[in-house]
Amino acid sequence: MNFIRQIERMQILNKLIKEQRTGTPNELAERLGVSRRQLYTYIDYLKDLGLDVWFSRKQNSFVYNDDEEIQLDLKIRVLGKTDVSKINGGKILKDFLPCFFYARTENKLVI
């Protein structure tokens, strides 16, 4: 569930930055329930994705440059028997593209 909480934090962070109402870094970190250092880790992650994020003292908020943003969607649902039967996880390709692994033990080739 920690992964889901991180997705939720990123969604809230994205929304607040887009609306330019994050407040100070300390206020935003408290709102997200993370430390200030962890907040900057999230900001750095956004920058790694190619977004230009910076803090505007004039607006007292983190902002995106040029109205950039990300879209994060998480969908969780219970699968019925018909849905589960449609998921093959590569089972169909097993016979089409067989894989063989070889290992050498001393002087023998083991298949």
Side-chain angles (χ1 to χ4, degrees):
M1 290 304 204
N2 192 26
F3 174 73
I4 294 172
R5 183 65 184 136
Q6 290 177 346
I7 295 289
E8 290 171 345
R9 283 185 184 130
M10 288 297 289
Q11 288 173 330
I12 293 167
L13 178 61
N14 180 56
K15 181 178 186 259
L16 292 173
I17 293 174
K18 186 174 129 181
E19 295 172 356
Q20 298 180 355
R21 56 184 194 98
T22 65
T24 66
N26 289 336
E27 292 169 344
L28 181 57
E30 186 176 331
R31 180 182 266 179
L32 294 175
V34 297
S35 67
R36 183 181 164 118
R37 179 66 216 129
Q38 185 65 37
L39 169 65
Y40 279 103
T41 300
Y42 284 119
I43 299 292
D44 288 342
Y45 181 70
L46 292 174
K47 289 179 180 181
D48 289 343
L49 292 173
L51 296 167
D52 187 14
V53 182
W54 53 281
F55 186 78
S56 168
R57 291 184 187 208
K58 181 179 178 183
Q59 295 166 321
N60 193 36
S61 177
F62 285 96
V63 294
Y64 288 130
N65 193 22
D66 299 327
D67 293 327
E68 297 174 322
E69 66 177 274
I70 59 171
Q71 180 179 349
L72 292 167
D73 293 323
L74 176 64
K75 184 177 181 181
I76 299 174
R77 66 184 177 102
V78 177
L79 298 177
K81 288 183 180 182
T82 56
D83 294 328
V84 173
S85 67
K86 293 177 184 177
I87 300 172
N88 62 43
K91 185 177 177 183
I92 294 172
L93 295 177
K94 182 180 82 173
D95 297 326
F96 182 70
L97 298 171
C99 293
F100 296 99
F101 296 96
Y102 296 95
R104 237 179 227 286
T105 61
E106 295 182 23
N107 295 331
K108 296 181 184 178
L109 184 62
V110 179
I111 298 177

PDB file of all heavy atoms in Angstrom, residues 69-80:
ATOM      1  N   GLU A  69       2.479  19.688 -17.147  1.00  0.00           N
ATOM      2  CA  GLU A  69       1.957  18.895 -16.043  1.00  0.00           C
ATOM      3  C   GLU A  69       2.103  17.426 -16.393  1.00  0.00           C
ATOM      4  O   GLU A  69       2.457  17.069 -17.509  1.00  0.00           O
ATOM      5  CB  GLU A  69       0.497  19.218 -15.741  1.00  0.00           C
ATOM      6  CG  GLU A  69      -0.466  18.835 -16.851  1.00  0.00           C
ATOM      7  CD  GLU A  69      -1.905  19.118 -16.474  1.00  0.00           C
ATOM      8  OE1 GLU A  69      -2.526  18.258 -15.840  1.00  0.00           O
ATOM      9  OE2 GLU A  69      -2.375  20.201 -16.834  1.00  0.00           O
ATOM     10  N   ILE A  70       1.857  16.580 -15.422  1.00  0.00           N
ATOM     11  CA  ILE A  70       1.851  15.145 -15.663  1.00  0.00           C
ATOM     12  C   ILE A  70       0.454  14.614 -15.378  1.00  0.00           C
ATOM     13  O   ILE A  70      -0.349  15.273 -14.719  1.00  0.00           O
ATOM     14  CB  ILE A  70       2.877  14.398 -14.784  1.00  0.00           C
ATOM     15  CG1 ILE A  70       2.595  14.635 -13.301  1.00  0.00           C
ATOM     16  CG2 ILE A  70       4.279  14.758 -15.150  1.00  0.00           C
ATOM     17  CD1 ILE A  70       3.409  13.770 -12.385  1.00  0.00           C
ATOM     18  N   GLN A  71       0.193  13.438 -15.879  1.00  0.00           N
ATOM     19  CA  GLN A  71      -1.077  12.777 -15.590  1.00  0.00           C
ATOM     20  C   GLN A  71      -0.764  11.432 -14.957  1.00  0.00           C
ATOM     21  O   GLN A  71      -0.063  10.613 -15.534  1.00  0.00           O
ATOM     22  CB  GLN A  71      -1.882  12.564 -16.877  1.00  0.00           C
ATOM     23  CG  GLN A  71      -3.202  11.876 -16.622  1.00  0.00           C
ATOM     24  CD  GLN A  71      -4.011  11.699 -17.896  1.00  0.00           C
ATOM     25  OE1 GLN A  71      -3.697  12.263 -18.932  1.00  0.00           O
ATOM     26  NE2 GLN A  71      -5.048  10.910 -17.796  1.00  0.00           N
ATOM     27  N   LEU A  72      -1.268  11.243 -13.757  1.00  0.00           N
ATOM     28  CA  LEU A  72      -1.074   9.993 -13.027  1.00  0.00           C
ATOM     29  C   LEU A  72      -2.424   9.364 -12.771  1.00  0.00           C
ATOM     30  O   LEU A  72      -3.283   9.960 -12.141  1.00  0.00           O
ATOM     31  CB  LEU A  72      -0.399  10.250 -11.671  1.00  0.00           C
ATOM     32  CG  LEU A  72       1.033  10.715 -11.698  1.00  0.00           C
ATOM     33  CD1 LEU A  72       1.454  11.217 -10.333  1.00  0.00           C
ATOM     34  CD2 LEU A  72       1.925   9.584 -12.131  1.00  0.00           C
ATOM     35  N   ASP A  73      -2.611   8.166 -13.283  1.00  0.00           N
ATOM     36  CA  ASP A  73      -3.863   7.449 -13.076  1.00  0.00           C
ATOM     37  C   ASP A  73      -3.562   6.107 -12.433  1.00  0.00           C
ATOM     38  O   ASP A  73      -2.615   5.421 -12.820  1.00  0.00           O
ATOM     39  CB  ASP A  73      -4.600   7.212 -14.394  1.00  0.00           C
ATOM     40  CG  ASP A  73      -5.086   8.509 -15.016  1.00  0.00           C
ATOM     41  OD1 ASP A  73      -5.500   9.401 -14.257  1.00  0.00           O
ATOM     42  OD2 ASP A  73      -5.039   8.632 -16.246  1.00  0.00           O
ATOM     43  N   LEU A  74      -4.369   5.749 -11.484  1.00  0.00           N
ATOM     44  CA  LEU A  74      -4.264   4.453 -10.837  1.00  0.00           C
ATOM     45  C   LEU A  74      -5.660   3.870 -10.784  1.00  0.00           C
ATOM     46  O   LEU A  74      -6.584   4.502 -10.279  1.00  0.00           O
ATOM     47  CB  LEU A  74      -3.694   4.585  -9.425  1.00  0.00           C
ATOM     48  CG  LEU A  74      -3.613   3.319  -8.598  1.00  0.00           C
ATOM     49  CD1 LEU A  74      -2.653   2.325  -9.231  1.00  0.00           C
ATOM     50  CD2 LEU A  74      -3.197   3.628  -7.186  1.00  0.00           C
ATOM     51  N   LYS A  75      -5.802   2.686 -11.349  1.00  0.00           N
ATOM     52  CA  LYS A  75      -7.116   2.055 -11.395  1.00  0.00           C
ATOM     53  C   LYS A  75      -7.013   0.689 -10.737  1.00  0.00           C
ATOM     54  O   LYS A  75      -6.218  -0.155 -11.157  1.00  0.00           O
ATOM     55  CB  LYS A  75      -7.582   1.911 -12.847  1.00  0.00           C
ATOM     56  CG  LYS A  75      -8.969   1.363 -12.997  1.00  0.00           C
ATOM     57  CD  LYS A  75      -9.357   1.339 -14.462  1.00  0.00           C
ATOM     58  CE  LYS A  75     -10.757   0.820 -14.638  1.00  0.00           C
ATOM     59  NZ  LYS A  75     -11.140   0.768 -16.045  1.00  0.00           N
ATOM     60  N   ILE A  76      -7.812   0.491  -9.728  1.00  0.00           N
ATOM     61  CA  ILE A  76      -7.850  -0.784  -9.027  1.00  0.00           C
ATOM     62  C   ILE A  76      -9.269  -1.310  -9.102  1.00  0.00           C
ATOM     63  O   ILE A  76     -10.217  -0.599  -8.787  1.00  0.00           O
ATOM     64  CB  ILE A  76      -7.426  -0.628  -7.550  1.00  0.00           C
ATOM     65  CG1 ILE A  76      -6.000  -0.094  -7.479  1.00  0.00           C
ATOM     66  CG2 ILE A  76      -7.550  -1.949  -6.817  1.00  0.00           C
ATOM     67  CD1 ILE A  76      -5.541   0.222  -6.084  1.00  0.00           C
ATOM     68  N   ARG A  77      -9.400  -2.563  -9.550  1.00  0.00           N
ATOM     69  CA  ARG A  77     -10.720  -3.158  -9.602  1.00  0.00           C
ATOM     70  C   ARG A  77     -10.607  -4.655  -9.414  1.00  0.00           C
ATOM     71  O   ARG A  77      -9.571  -5.256  -9.664  1.00  0.00           O
ATOM     72  CB  ARG A  77     -11.438  -2.839 -10.903  1.00  0.00           C
ATOM     73  CG  ARG A  77     -10.829  -3.442 -12.140  1.00  0.00           C
ATOM     74  CD  ARG A  77     -11.564  -2.990 -13.399  1.00  0.00           C
ATOM     75  NE  ARG A  77     -10.934  -3.514 -14.583  1.00  0.00           N
ATOM     76  CZ  ARG A  77     -11.401  -4.557 -15.257  1.00  0.00           C
ATOM     77  NH1 ARG A  77     -12.509  -5.147 -14.883  1.00  0.00           N
ATOM     78  NH2 ARG A  77     -10.773  -4.992 -16.326  1.00  0.00           N
ATOM     79  N   VAL A  78     -11.685  -5.249  -8.986  1.00  0.00           N
ATOM     80  CA  VAL A  78     -11.743  -6.688  -8.789  1.00  0.00           C
ATOM     81  C   VAL A  78     -12.021  -7.345 -10.137  1.00  0.00           C
ATOM     82  O   VAL A  78     -12.926  -6.939 -10.859  1.00  0.00           O
ATOM     83  CB  VAL A  78     -12.844  -7.063  -7.771  1.00  0.00           C
ATOM     84  CG1 VAL A  78     -12.951  -8.565  -7.616  1.00  0.00           C
ATOM     85  CG2 VAL A  78     -12.579  -6.395  -6.429  1.00  0.00           C
ATOM     86  N   LEU A  79     -11.240  -8.357 -10.481  1.00  0.00           N
ATOM     87  CA  LEU A  79     -11.408  -9.049 -11.753  1.00  0.00           C
ATOM     88  C   LEU A  79     -12.318 -10.256 -11.573  1.00  0.00           C
ATOM     89  O   LEU A  79     -12.165 -11.023 -10.622  1.00  0.00           O
ATOM     90  CB  LEU A  79     -10.057  -9.527 -12.291  1.00  0.00           C
ATOM     91  CG  LEU A  79      -9.039  -8.441 -12.597  1.00  0.00           C
ATOM     92  CD1 LEU A  79      -7.724  -9.067 -13.038  1.00  0.00           C
ATOM     93  CD2 LEU A  79      -9.551  -7.495 -13.662  1.00  0.00           C
ATOM     94  N   GLY A  80     -13.247 -10.424 -12.497  1.00  0.00           N
ATOM     95  CA  GLY A  80     -14.099 -11.609 -12.509  1.00  0.00           C
ATOM     96  C   GLY A  80     -13.398 -12.757 -13.208  1.00  0.00           C
ATOM     97  O   GLY A  80     -12.303 -12.607 -13.751  1.00  0.00           O
TER      98      GLY A  80
END
